[in-house]
Amino acid sequence: MARSSVRGEGSRPRVRQAGELGWDDSLYAEDGDTVQDPAQDVRERPAGTADTADTADAPGGGRKQASGGTPAGPGSPARPGKGGGSGPGGRPPRRRRRALRWSATVLAVLILGTAGAGYLYYQHLNGNIKKDDLNLGDEKDRAAAPTANAAGQTPLNVLLIGSDARDTKENQELGGAKETFGSTPLADVQMLLHLSADRTNMSVISMPRDTLLQIPKCTDPDDGKVYQATTGRTMTNQSLGRGGPGCTVATWEKLTGIHIDHFMQIDFSGVVSMADAIGGVPVCVDANIYSKDSEGHGSGLKLTEGTHSIKGEQALQWLRTRYGFEDGSDLGRARAQHQYMSSMIRQLRENATITNPNKLRRLAETATNALTVDPGLDTVKKLYDLGSQMRDVKPERVTMTTMPNRYVGARVEPTEDAEKLFRLVRDDIALDGKDKKKSSKEKASDDPAAADAEIGVLVQNGTRTDTLAPVAGRASAVSQLLAEDGFARATADTTTATTEDKTVIRYPSADLEGDAQRVAKSLGIEFSSVKKSTDVSGVTLIVGADWREGDTYKAAEEDDTLPDTADALSGDKKKCMHVNSAFTF
């Protein structure tokens, strides 16, 4: 199986000194940014504060590498790995700024979809595409696939991963300290692309690379090495070094509960080649901008007021610029990157027909060479089909967001709003608020239910919350309600009380879906709360905190509005970046 570089659990053990930039700083850090010792005192800072530092603080680990930058495979010698993390410093770590690699990934898909490249020397192009396993986690950690809507449609979720691999000459020429060459790559860009079931809208959720979470157990498919689940919280970008991109997929599914259908991964050299191949993306500034101050800080971006088509080095400068946009923080840089991506998608859609054979060939070669994908996307035809579905979405229905988070020292963690955002995606609710009113008719399972008296139901008490103790005897009370309705085999689990915000019915296999839905119908629970899960051995009703009392279940009305903390950007042709007056000319 072809694989881009993968590595062990570790990151770079060496701490870079101020002014010495590693791979991750050189491409995206602006002149004058520094790297400080992670041992320095770090205090929580408000979001949006300008930053100057990245650090490398994780322990070393192993990796697999083939010489000369060839993707490693089974039998490749283990070598010490080094990695990087975002750093503390005096201001918050730079985050949300690795979107350049995400941009190139979307470019690869859309170019294939819009250009029809599947008919150009098909087998040659298929051979360019690298592939790896989709999910390396245990079955119990995987999210259930979504239930089809009334029309039989299901959403599509694709995880976009930007690798910082420094294992080829091309990647090393893009900059970085020499000790980082050949080190274990990190997943420094992670964005989930969600296509709605009806393919009318698309949502993107980016996760900061320094998000602290628990990485699940992953097994490397090449050598069988098992990476046990982390006992404490670990930076999410380290997931890539635990067997490959399939471990990053497993990490996302465990955190979000969102089923992921595919992944696409790209590295530095792929980013640059795609930026050149696209031929220009329109961006707009509301004033003249020169991103350089008296001390040399800045990306060097220089544009006059208005709209410009940028590519190559200038596109890289745009995506790096922090000094000059808005308040000079990473929030401004993230908005500039989102504008670039929105414009890029719109540009490809509006120029869907490419007739120049040489340009078509170059785009096809670049796109297929840039990607590592799962087996479900490993041919040009499959990528073309995905690109076609993406092309159907109007740019104004594309919403880009960042996972709501708060600082924990120099790192971040998901907030309550993050779970709300994940739920909207799980429930396939458009983040732009423009969904048509959905049919109230729920799709029944094709699996016929057994007679009520023959359905075994285990009832558990999930009424505990962060602030409230569980309601004593709640499982017994609800199991009695079921018994009175004819479910003679309903029993209460009195051993423990769990935490479940919303009442849910879980079932382990398709042959019990009909039974689970029958239980839901008898209690007035919507079918959207009936979910397949390998965490249970039979039909299991967890009475949640939304049903702490009473004999009749009434689902709380959900707030389906996008949290303000998601910092959303929807497609807008007239959107221009605001230029800081200190960086105009």
Side-chain angles (χ1 to χ4, degrees):
M1 172 177 299
R3 154 154 316 166
S4 57
S5 298
V6 289
R7 21 178 207 177
E9 298 181 75
S11 297
R12 307 177 206 115
R14 178 178 179 272
V15 177
R16 298 190 299 276
Q17 301 302 312
E20 179 185 354
L21 299 181
W23 62 264
D24 51 351
D25 304 291
S26 60
L27 184 59
Y28 293 95
E30 301 180 36
D31 295 341
D33 281 353
T34 60
V35 181
Q36 300 184 14
D37 191 321
Q40 293 176 355
D41 178 53
V42 178
R43 298 177 176 84
E44 293 195 25
R45 298 168 295 267
T49 306
D51 61 288
T52 59
D54 275 357
T55 63
D57 61 350
R63 72 177 295 273
K64 290 176 285 181
Q65 178 190 11
S67 62
T70 304
S76 299
R79 297 176 57 185
K82 302 174 185 176
S86 55
R91 285 171 276 179
R94 293 190 307 278
R95 53 194 179 88
R96 308 183 206 159
R97 75 221 195 261
R98 309 273 187 220
L100 177 58
R101 275 162 284 173
W102 181 91
S103 303
T105 303
V106 175
L107 279 170
V109 178
L110 289 176
I111 285 172
L112 292 172
T114 57
Y119 301 99
L120 299 175
Y121 45 97
Y122 185 76
Q123 293 303 324
H124 167 73
L125 292 178
N126 285 345
N128 288 344
I129 303 170
K130 299 175 287 295
K131 54 184 176 289
D132 212 329
D133 287 9
L134 174 61
N135 193 319
L136 306 185
D138 283 353
E139 188 69 30
K140 66 180 179 62
D141 292 323
R142 300 185 183 185
T147 302
N149 62 18
Q153 302 167 309
T154 54
L156 185 69
N157 296 306
V158 182
L159 185 63
L160 310 176
I161 303 170
S163 165
D164 73 349
R166 311 300 295 174
D167 55 351
T168 66
K169 179 181 179 181
E170 292 81 5
N171 282 328
Q172 292 168 2
E173 287 177 349
L174 293 172
K178 290 185 178 180
E179 68 268 18
T180 68
F181 292 179
S183 61
T184 306
L186 300 171
D188 268 3
V189 173
Q190 298 176 39
M191 290 189 174
L192 182 68
L193 185 154
H194 172 84
L195 277 172
S196 65
D198 61 8
R199 302 302 189 259
T200 63
N201 64 87
M202 182 166 69
S203 306
V204 178
I205 302 175
S206 65
M207 183 189 297
R209 65 173 186 150
D210 51 2
T211 299
L212 296 175
L213 44 69
Q214 288 189 313
I215 300 177
K217 174 184 175 182
C218 292
T219 302
D220 191 316
D222 287 347
D223 58 14
K225 181 176 180 179
V226 176
Y227 297 87
Q228 296 297 334
T230 58
T231 54
R233 296 194 301 175
T234 305
M235 283 174 54
T236 182
N237 63 354
Q238 294 186 30
S239 58
L240 185 61
R242 297 166 62 85
C247 192
T248 305
V249 170
T251 302
W252 267 79
E253 287 204 357
K254 184 174 178 61
L255 174 70
T256 68
I258 299 170
H259 175 78
I260 296 175
D261 301 281
H262 303 290
F263 78 79
M264 300 173 61
Q265 178 179 292
I266 195 166
D267 61 13
F268 280 161
S269 61
V271 168
V272 173
S273 63
M274 290 305 303
D276 288 336
I278 187 59
V281 171
V283 295
C284 180
V285 289
D286 66 1
N288 297 348
I289 180 174
Y290 181 45
S291 179
K292 189 75 69 173
D293 66 11
S294 59
E295 297 180 358
H297 299 143
S299 68
L301 178 70
K302 190 172 186 178
L303 295 172
T304 56
E305 177 183 352
T307 300
H308 301 265
S309 181
I310 60 174
K311 62 179 180 179
E313 182 180 356
Q314 200 170 43
L316 181 60
Q317 289 175 334
W318 176 277
L319 292 161
R320 290 174 55 200
T321 297
R322 176 162 58 85
Y323 294 100
F325 285 150
E326 300 185 353
D327 62 357
S329 75
D330 239 10
L331 296 178
R333 176 153 52 189
R335 292 188 185 101
Q337 292 167 349
H338 285 168
Q339 182 193 136
Y340 180 91
M341 289 184 284
S342 294
S343 180
M344 173 194 66
I345 293 172
R346 184 171 58 250
Q347 183 81 350
L348 286 166
R349 187 175 185 275
E350 293 177 353
N351 296 278
T353 303
I354 299 176
T355 57
N356 184 311
N358 289 331
K359 183 175 183 179
L360 185 60
R361 175 173 176 168
R362 185 163 64 94
L363 291 174
E365 286 280 0
T366 302
T368 53
N369 274 305
L371 296 175
T372 299
V373 300
D374 67 276
L377 291 177
D378 64 354
T379 67
V380 171
K381 175 62 168 60
K382 294 173 182 176
L383 288 168
Y384 174 82
D385 289 343
L386 176 60
S388 296
Q389 295 180 68
M390 292 176 62
R391 193 177 67 236
D392 289 340
V393 180
K394 296 179 180 179
E396 59 266 25
R397 296 300 312 277
V398 178
T399 304
M400 297 181 180
T401 67
T402 298
M403 180 196 76
N405 60 82
R406 58 176 161 250
Y407 280 105
V408 182
R411 310 295 186 232
V412 299
E413 65 181 4
T415 63
E416 294 76 11
D417 280 353
E419 173 51 34
K420 181 180 180 181
L421 178 59
F422 300 153
R423 180 187 65 77
L424 294 177
V425 173
R426 288 195 301 265
D427 293 347
D428 195 28
I429 296 171
L431 301 187
D432 61 7
K434 298 178 182 178
D435 260 342
K436 293 180 180 179
K437 188 174 181 180
K438 296 185 178 180
S439 171
S440 58
K441 183 178 180 181
E442 296 183 302
K443 185 178 183 297
S445 171
D446 294 331
D447 170 55
D452 291 355
E454 297 176 3
I455 298 176
V457 187
L458 180 66
V459 182
Q460 296 180 338
N461 186 347
T463 58
R464 182 194 302 276
T465 72
D466 292 339
T467 58
L468 298 173
V471 178
R474 195 63 185 141
S476 297
V478 175
S479 64
Q480 182 60 37
L481 290 176
L482 284 170
E484 292 171 0
D485 283 344
F487 293 88
R489 296 181 58 194
T491 59
D493 179 359
T494 59
T495 59
T496 186
T498 61
T499 299
E500 198 76 46
D501 292 337
K502 185 178 178 182
T503 297
V504 64
I505 299 174
R506 298 192 173 103
Y507 62 95
S509 55
D511 61 331
L512 290 177
E513 183 180 24
D515 291 358
Q517 286 191 353
R518 174 66 192 126
V519 174
K521 186 174 182 180
S522 71
L523 294 173
I525 298 172
E526 63 272 19
F527 284 178
S528 60
S529 293
V530 178
K531 302 181 182 297
K532 184 178 178 181
S533 171
T534 56
D535 290 339
V536 297
S537 57
V539 177
T540 305
L541 165 64
I542 300 97
V543 183
D546 61 344
W547 196 13
R548 289 175 61 87
E549 60 184 10
D551 294 344
T552 303
Y553 176 73
K554 184 178 180 181
E557 189 169 337
E558 298 279 12
D559 176 10
D560 292 339
T561 58
L562 181 66
D564 291 339
T565 51
D567 196 23
L569 174 67
S570 295
D572 184 352
K573 290 186 179 181
K574 298 180 180 180
K575 182 73 174 179
C576 290
M577 283 301 300
H578 176 60
V579 176
N580 189 309
S581 59
F583 291 87
T584 191
F585 64 93

